[in-house]
Amino acid sequence: MKRHSENETHITNLRYHTRGLDDLYIPIPFLFVTSRMRDEIAAERQLIIDLAQSATKVRQLELLSRYDPCVSADAFNSVLHLFEVDRQD
């Protein structure tokens, strides 16, 4: 089996982030986020942070902090509540 150096480690099959030109992962902003999406985004972010090299980890954290999926999830739930939609996750 071929071993990859730390420089070659890239995450594939991401649903909520895209890889930028500087090898940092950029969050894809969503206007509305369900509770399930919020949890999946959090798990994907944890994977990104766990695999980030120490030299880029701080920059990656700063980039991810610009978009909070919890805010979008709260907005989505507020709209549902406004229109009295009973939502079950």
Side-chain angles (χ1 to χ4, degrees):
M1 180 181 344
K2 180 181 176 186
R3 293 189 147 244
H4 296 280
S5 70
E6 285 188 33
N7 296 350
E8 296 178 32
T9 303
H10 300 293
I11 305 168
T12 58
N13 300 325
L14 295 177
R15 296 178 62 194
Y16 303 104
H17 299 83
T18 177
R19 193 158 157 232
L21 297 175
D22 54 359
D23 287 336
L24 295 177
Y25 292 91
I26 302 164
I28 299 170
F30 293 92
L31 181 59
F32 296 117
V33 173
T34 65
S35 298
R36 179 178 170 192
M37 285 174 66
R38 180 196 60 218
D39 296 342
E40 290 173 352
I41 291 169
E44 199 170 280
R45 285 182 175 202
Q46 190 60 53
L47 176 66
I48 290 169
I49 296 304
D50 290 345
L51 294 177
Q53 297 177 16
S54 59
T56 60
K57 192 173 279 200
V58 171
R59 289 180 35 222
Q60 185 64 70
L61 284 166
E62 289 173 357
L63 183 61
L64 293 176
S65 70
R66 294 180 190 167
Y67 169 68
D68 185 359
C70 292
V71 172
S72 295
D74 290 344
F76 179 66
N77 288 325
S78 294
V79 168
L80 292 178
H81 180 71
L82 179 69
F83 290 101
E84 299 177 358
V85 176
D86 185 25
R87 181 153 163 82
Q88 297 179 9
D89 283 325

